[in-house]
Amino acid sequence: MRSYRTLDVRRDMELTFLIVDNDDTPSSQEVFERETRDFPWPCRYVHEPRPGIPMARNRGLTEAGSEGFFAFVDDDETVTPSWLTELVGVAERTGAAFVQGPVQMLVDDASDAWWLQTLFFKQRQYADGSKRTESWTNNVLLDLGFTTRHGCRFDERLSFTGGEDTMFFQDVVRAGGLGAYAQNAWVCEIQPPYRLSWRWAVSRQFRFGNTRALTMLLRRSRGRSMAYCLVRGAGMIVVGFGWLASSIFKGKRGFANGIALFARAAGVLSGLFGARMQEYPR
């Protein structure tokens, strides 16, 4: 919450911050009250006891109402001063139903910085205002009017697997919504040491692939899903071998990129045939 105190806000903006505590009991209420004391804008705390990330995000949509914009940010991220004005500016210029911003990955130990240059962590960036056909909730702005009119909600069947945000924004696009990219709407995320390991990084890529297959199966026919997953999985395997070969010149970065693609391909193909990785058990 501390980084939000430094936000640059336009005079025509009215801000309210919403914290959704997704636990059996309101365990974060004391922290909320401490961190929002003397906060520059109104803050609301709500307790959502039903377990699962989609439940918490849908509760957020319900509490936010049906007008204006609603921004999602992960709880382990900090925002930059111009973050919100950049998101809103792109939304106003493009008429987008959602606007995605970039995430700057950071590490505490400089010797670990090479991880951030690999496919395990590196994210693609786009030109300001570029069209986007999907997004995630780690840094995104929603047009509440559009999502309300079209009944867009996070699929609660994905309570513990992840992937519900990917499918949500795919649904927004299927409903006719435009997605856009805000090149300068930065948030920052420090990667803790436990994530900078082969075991965690490979598992994360496997889950990404697994949830990609699941989002296809829940929205497309079995035939289309199978064709998509087989082609995508095979393509990643081929490119993965290329990256492994490049390790002769690129060293551990080439090796890591190859392993990342193999893990994601394994997730896609296993997901197609029914495997489900429960990343968020409760």
Side-chain angles (χ1 to χ4, degrees), residues 168-242:
F168 174 88
F169 292 104
Q170 291 173 349
D171 288 344
V172 170
V173 172
R174 278 190 280 264
L178 171 71
Y181 191 77
Q183 183 182 39
N184 299 308
W186 286 95
V187 301
C188 302
E189 181 180 313
I190 297 177
Q191 298 302 309
Y194 76 86
R195 292 185 178 180
L196 306 176
S197 68
W198 290 101
R199 181 176 180 178
W200 188 90
V202 168
S203 177
R204 182 179 190 238
Q205 293 300 311
F206 180 90
R207 182 184 68 83
F208 283 168
N210 194 252
T211 57
R212 175 66 66 174
L214 183 55
T215 59
M216 290 296 297
L217 289 165
L218 290 174
R219 291 291 188 269
R220 304 291 187 184
S221 68
R222 179 71 184 182
R224 289 188 64 181
S225 299
M226 181 169 289
Y228 173 90
C229 292
L230 290 175
V231 170
R232 191 177 182 92
M236 286 188 287
I237 290 171
V238 170
V239 176
F241 276 117

Side-chain angles (χ1 to χ4, degrees), residues 37-63:
R37 193 173 297 128
D38 300 324
F39 202 69
W41 298 285
C43 296
R44 292 178 56 208
Y45 171 94
V46 296
H47 174 225
E48 175 50 65
R50 294 182 303 155
I53 292 179
M55 284 68 168
R57 289 175 176 157
N58 282 334
R59 178 67 182 274
L61 290 178
T62 299
E63 296 287 338

